[in-house]
Amino acid sequence: MKYISLPTSEVRRLSFYLAMEEFVARHIDEPDCFFMWQVEPSVIFGRNQVLENEVNVAYCREHGIKLYRRKSGGGCVYADMDNLMLSYVTSEDHVNFAFNRFVNMVLLVMRKLGIAATGTAHNDVMIGDRKVCGTACYHLEGRSIVHSTMLYDTNMEHMLNAITPGPEKLAQKGIQSVRQRITLLKDYTTLECVDDLKSMVRSTLCDGERLLTADEVAAIETIEATYLKEEFIHLL
């Protein structure tokens, strides 16, 4: 599987990386591609979610947390520079097979870290009864895009306050708080930082690199403009 690299280490908006997934799916002639990214504090919510039902918009406004809608389904996710976002683009045309392949790759990483993790029917990765990695997927012609959040660490105060599933939703699941549903990889590994995790994930899953050109980055920025429309981005 080829690792897709950018020509600079500049941290970009979350919308850029969503556009990069689309560009890779449409224009990079490799059967399986993978890349990782990090963003400044952001919330990304699913294609069919009602923003106000899932996100504490006032809290995000107060703390400068940006909000983005993605084209895949699934739940609401908080991301920052202390956790790791994973993008997998494959020629596997069947979404369920793509999900399964990706989850198995994450489980391989966990095994190499010495962590007894499991996958669920909802394509989450669990350590015990707590989620450490959630996934979402959508399909383009001939390609499937799977993206995921791997929780190495995070600003827990932002995560707990930015995402608000609501008391009814929590009661239905028998969960008292968001914190009771998640766990952090840093508590199970001797890796010292998220950069060490990135290196380990890349060496485990990838056997080559495809460096994007400046022209290709410009093409991604053109796609990104579609994510900056009102229905996709909420500038606070």
Side-chain angles (χ1 to χ4, degrees):
M1 180 165 65
K2 288 292 186 292
Y3 190 86
I4 308 301
S5 297
L6 290 165
T8 71
S9 59
E10 173 189 1
V11 175
R12 293 177 173 266
R13 291 176 294 206
L14 189 149
S15 51
F16 175 87
Y17 300 105
L18 298 179
M20 183 172 165
E21 292 174 338
E22 284 200 44
F23 178 85
V24 170
R26 298 182 189 279
H27 300 290
I28 301 298
D29 188 20
E30 294 285 347
D32 292 285
C33 300
F34 178 77
F35 61 95
M36 294 174 284
W37 41 286
Q38 294 157 276
V39 290
E40 297 298 333
S42 303
V43 168
I44 178 173
F45 52 102
R47 173 181 64 216
N48 300 315
Q49 289 188 300
V50 177
L51 172 66
E52 292 76 12
N53 292 347
E54 305 291 338
V55 179
N56 185 336
V57 176
Y59 180 88
C60 292
R61 180 180 294 115
E62 180 182 354
H63 293 88
I65 300 170
K66 297 296 186 287
L67 307 178
Y68 300 85
R69 186 183 297 277
R70 62 179 184 267
K71 294 183 179 179
S72 59
C76 191
V77 174
Y78 169 80
D80 59 30
M81 292 297 294
D82 290 322
N83 59 37
L84 194 56
M85 310 299 285
L86 313 177
S87 294
Y88 172 54
V89 180
T90 176
S91 56
E92 173 54 67
D93 203 37
H94 195 291
V95 168
N96 287 337
F97 290 163
F99 260 135
N100 185 64
R101 187 180 296 173
F102 177 79
V103 169
N104 282 329
M105 289 193 297
V106 175
L107 292 176
L108 173 62
V109 170
M110 295 295 169
R111 285 196 296 272
K112 289 195 68 172
L113 289 170
I115 298 171
T118 57
T120 74
H122 297 289
N123 302 300
D124 296 328
V125 174
M126 312 289 288
I127 300 176
D129 60 356
R130 295 189 179 192
K131 181 162 69 173
V132 72
C133 189
T135 63
C137 183
Y138 72 104
H139 182 259
L140 297 176
E141 185 177 355
R143 305 283 268 178
S144 295
I145 297 172
V146 184
H147 33 217
S148 176
T149 303
M150 183 177 283
L151 285 171
Y152 173 79
D153 195 5
T154 194
N155 183 320
M156 193 59 66
E157 182 178 355
H158 281 352
M159 176 174 282
L160 296 178
N161 287 284
I163 299 175
T164 55
E168 296 85 1
K169 187 173 181 181
L170 290 175
Q172 288 172 0
K173 295 186 176 182
I175 298 167
Q176 296 303 312
S177 71
V178 174
R179 184 64 181 96
Q180 288 181 296
R181 294 187 292 159
I182 64 170
T183 193
L184 302 174
L185 268 178
K186 70 171 187 176
D187 297 332
Y188 300 88
T189 175
T190 58
L191 295 176
E192 294 185 358
C193 63
V194 70
D195 286 338
D196 289 345
L197 176 62
K198 289 171 68 176
S199 296
M200 187 268 181
V201 171
R202 180 169 174 175
S203 65
T204 300
L205 300 182
C206 299
D207 57 5
E209 179 182 40
R210 167 65 157 81
L211 180 64
L212 297 176
T213 67
D215 286 344
E216 288 172 329
V217 171
I220 293 170
E221 291 170 340
T222 298
I223 298 172
E224 183 188 13
T226 66
Y227 285 93
L228 299 178
K229 294 179 180 179
E230 185 177 357
E231 65 266 33
F232 281 101
I233 186 171
H234 297 257
L235 293 171
L236 304 176

